[in-house]
Amino acid sequence: MAFVRRKGNSFYLVHNVRRGGKVRQLHLARLGERARITDAVVREVSKKHPFVELNWRALREQTNNQVDLADASSPAIQKLVSSLRALNLELADLFPPLLRISETPTVARELLVQLRLLQSTLQVKLNQFDRKRGRFSHATLRMHGR
């Protein structure tokens, strides 16, 4: 049976295998600082370990829904808030004239594509937190009341 294990600041997908009467852990993939099973992880593990049968749906549900928004002191939430603050500061320092003086137009185009993608992702997430959705309505109301 495969499961996610934390070692230091990283998460790993591991599977117990019995060899010579002993149980050994087979490290299937490094999942990073936040345990997420992406399509790339599934492809990589399936290619490297074709004979290991895994319940990907159950593993994804277990790992991808780990962030508990109710615990404001959790390391995952603290890191997320810190990353969002840093991103806001970086974006505040970015001005359109900087894009025009970029030596390669592909850099400017890629930056604009990523900013539009971020905008779309933010809109989807903000809609999920909309007060009409129920679960996080008190958080939305507090944010509006500031």
Side-chain angles (χ1 to χ4, degrees), residues 5-20:
R5 177 180 182 186
R6 183 182 190 134
K7 190 172 182 182
N9 290 331
S10 294
F11 289 91
Y12 295 87
L13 180 63
V14 296
H15 182 67
N16 286 338
V17 181
R18 186 172 294 277
R19 289 189 183 150

Side-chain angles (χ1 to χ4, degrees), residues 12-32:
Y12 295 87
L13 180 63
V14 296
H15 182 67
N16 286 338
V17 181
R18 186 172 294 277
R19 289 189 183 150
K22 291 186 178 185
V23 176
R24 304 224 182 226
Q25 283 190 350
L26 177 64
H27 287 248
L28 302 175
R30 182 180 182 277
L31 303 176

Side-chain angles (χ1 to χ4, degrees), residues 43-94:
R43 282 191 302 274
E44 174 188 336
V45 171
S46 297
K47 185 177 178 181
K48 283 174 134 176
H49 306 282
F51 299 110
V52 176
E53 291 184 29
L54 301 171
N55 183 345
W56 290 112
R57 196 176 113 256
L59 285 167
R60 280 184 173 183
E61 286 176 8
Q62 174 192 352
T63 59
N64 294 353
N65 297 322
Q66 266 185 340
V67 177
D68 182 12
L69 293 175
D71 183 9
S73 63
S74 79
I77 294 300
Q78 294 295 319
K79 184 172 182 178
L80 178 61
V81 169
S82 175
S83 296
L84 288 172
R85 284 184 183 137
L87 178 61
N88 277 310
L89 292 172
E90 289 289 328
L91 290 174
D93 289 340
L94 182 66

Side-chain angles (χ1 to χ4, degrees), residues 94-112:
L94 182 66
F95 294 100
L98 290 177
L99 295 178
R100 284 190 214 109
I101 58 175
S102 172
E103 291 186 26
T104 57
T106 54
V107 172
R109 274 196 301 274
E110 179 63 21
L111 184 58
L112 289 173

